[in-house]
Amino acid sequence: MAAYGVPEIIFTGGEPFERYYVLSAGVNCAHSSCAKSSVFTSSYWAKSPAEAKSALGGLKGLTRLYLSTDIYHQKRVPVTNVRNAIEAAIELNISSIILNITYASESDRSYVASQYADYGNRIGIHADRVIPNPKFSPLVLIGQDPLQNLSPAAYSCNCWLGTPLVDPNGDIFSCHIGKAAAHRDISHLPYFLGNLRNLSFKDIMDRAEARSDYQYLRTHGPKGVAEMAINTPQLLENLTTPTFTTACDMCMRVLKSPKGPESLASFAATRHEEIDVRLALLLGEQPLFGKLGSEPER
């Protein structure tokens, strides 16, 4: 991946620290390959300042630490653990420390953020709404903030779709929605790019980049998915809900609907000129479809 040009490798889970030897080897490999490395964790392992420093000290070359802390994580991992991890990261000069707060209401988000306010600008905060799924109790969403409608104006062209996710079985997905593959097969959805046991990372990405549906998602993001949906009546008929918590929630629900994948493929195939313009102006990449004259085979 580093040879292909990926600048940063992010280790996530589940909980990466439960496989500490593998995590340590991965961070070391990324560092020796001149790629940055980051890790998402709940901080369950940071039970004392000494344990926190020992664990982080073994991850030579780690450049960013994402700490998941919210009212849900705090039922299992106390704030003290997270603060131990923060203190250890500061002492070890890990350059970026970011709290990840998942919330159903603004009051939940502000409450959790206030628990770390004394760190000021030494830490960052990334907050996002809960994405409903069958594992969550309906109680989690009681009192949640208003939902978003299926309107392009409610969403942005920007998202995390340009950050491929690799599952333990070698499957590569276009973004972190691929984590849903741990619970069900989603290889039929446009997010699926290929498997590392069958093709090299370069071959998988080269094939993906020749797909108009993939490039449409990269260049148009959630805003483009909403635009596609409202212009596809047969897709709208099969949506289970008209409102969503986040852009990821909307994108996944639209594309996993019965008409989702084929609707995106058909819609993207008519947007080659728009895709090429955005590849050039927004991403600084060479146009694909105007140069090729027709859509490459998948």
Side-chain angles (χ1 to χ4, degrees), residues 11-24 39-42 44:
F11 298 91
T12 183
E15 175 52 67
F17 278 77
E18 290 186 352
R19 301 289 184 269
Y20 185 81
Y21 172 77
V22 178
L23 173 62
S24 178
V39 62
F40 280 81
T41 179
S42 68
Y44 82 93

Side-chain angles (χ1 to χ4, degrees), residues 135-192:
K135 292 182 64 178
F136 279 146
S137 163
L139 295 176
V140 169
L141 301 178
I142 288 179
Q144 68 175 326
D145 288 344
L147 302 178
Q148 293 177 302
N149 294 318
L150 185 62
S151 167
Y155 303 99
S156 167
C157 292
N158 300 316
C159 71
W160 298 104
L161 198 127
T163 55
L165 179 138
V166 183
D167 275 348
N169 68 351
D171 282 347
I172 296 184
F173 294 88
S174 58
C175 62
H176 70 276
I177 282 180
K179 295 173 80 170
H183 309 291
R184 59 187 180 277
D185 180 16
I186 61 171
S187 61
H188 63 290
L189 298 183
Y191 308 110
F192 180 69

Side-chain angles (χ1 to χ4, degrees), residues 50-177:
E51 288 176 287
K53 186 175 180 181
S54 175
L56 288 180
L59 303 178
K60 303 299 182 184
L62 187 71
T63 52
R64 195 190 312 266
L65 183 65
Y66 291 99
L67 302 172
S68 298
T69 179
D70 44 53
I71 62 173
Y72 314 114
H73 281 86
Q74 288 177 9
K75 293 177 180 179
R76 303 183 301 277
V77 180
V79 172
T80 303
N81 285 41
V82 181
R83 295 181 69 92
N84 287 339
I86 293 172
E87 296 290 347
I90 292 173
E91 186 175 348
L92 293 169
N93 295 314
I94 293 176
S95 59
S96 179
I97 307 166
I98 298 176
L99 300 181
N100 286 286
I101 302 174
T102 300
Y103 66 98
S105 68
E106 175 59 24
S107 61
D108 291 344
R109 187 209 64 77
S110 59
Y111 167 70
V112 175
S114 71
Q115 295 174 304
Y116 305 93
D118 54 307
Y119 286 106
N121 61 9
R122 289 182 294 174
I123 63 173
I125 293 179
H126 175 78
D128 215 343
R129 293 279 298 274
V130 172
I131 299 178
N133 70 61
K135 292 182 64 178
F136 279 146
S137 163
L139 295 176
V140 169
L141 301 178
I142 288 179
Q144 68 175 326
D145 288 344
L147 302 178
Q148 293 177 302
N149 294 318
L150 185 62
S151 167
Y155 303 99
S156 167
C157 292
N158 300 316
C159 71
W160 298 104
L161 198 127
T163 55
L165 179 138
V166 183
D167 275 348
N169 68 351
D171 282 347
I172 296 184
F173 294 88
S174 58
C175 62
H176 70 276
I177 282 180

